[in-house]
Amino acid sequence: MPLVGGGLMMSTIENQQMVWIDGYQGSGKTSLAVRIAHDLLRRGYVKYCISNIPIVFADRLEEVIPTGSGSQIRLNCVVVLDELGKFLKTGRDVGDFAAFLRKLNVILIGPSTEEPASAFR
């Protein structure tokens, strides 16, 4: 079952390919991120899910099979990066990482109590 009223949110995520979920500890940020990842997989928008936290339906990195070749390689996956703010601290981190992810058709979902660099927001 899709997220109730989630159509606009999902299309925004598909277009932007990066989302930061902010909130207090224990507020459900990670649960929402996992649910969004599940919906992206269910709808066939991506083929794989990778995460730095245990998720029942997540794939192991070595199971992800890229498509294409050369500069046309695509991973077609969603990455749930819990506590994203700890990893993307500077604008340069965000710019380089975002460009890399878009080229590979990777959607990044980052629940975090720490704010990532302002370029991400």
Side-chain angles (χ1 to χ4, degrees), residues 13-76:
I13 291 169
E14 289 169 4
N15 288 328
Q16 296 297 317
Q17 292 187 273
M18 294 176 33
V19 63
W20 167 48
I21 303 172
D22 182 26
Y24 295 107
Q25 188 173 359
S27 63
K29 298 176 302 300
T30 303
S31 295
L32 178 59
V34 169
R35 179 55 196 265
I36 292 168
H38 184 265
D39 275 12
L40 289 165
L41 284 165
R42 184 186 57 76
R43 292 173 51 206
Y45 191 80
V46 294
K47 186 173 180 179
Y48 302 102
C49 175
I50 302 168
S51 181
N52 66 336
I53 58 170
I55 298 176
V56 173
F57 57 84
D59 300 285
R60 292 189 332 251
L61 187 55
E62 57 270 11
E63 295 172 334
V64 176
I65 300 169
T67 60
S69 63
S71 64
Q72 300 300 314
I73 290 178
R74 303 286 182 264
L75 294 181
N76 301 315

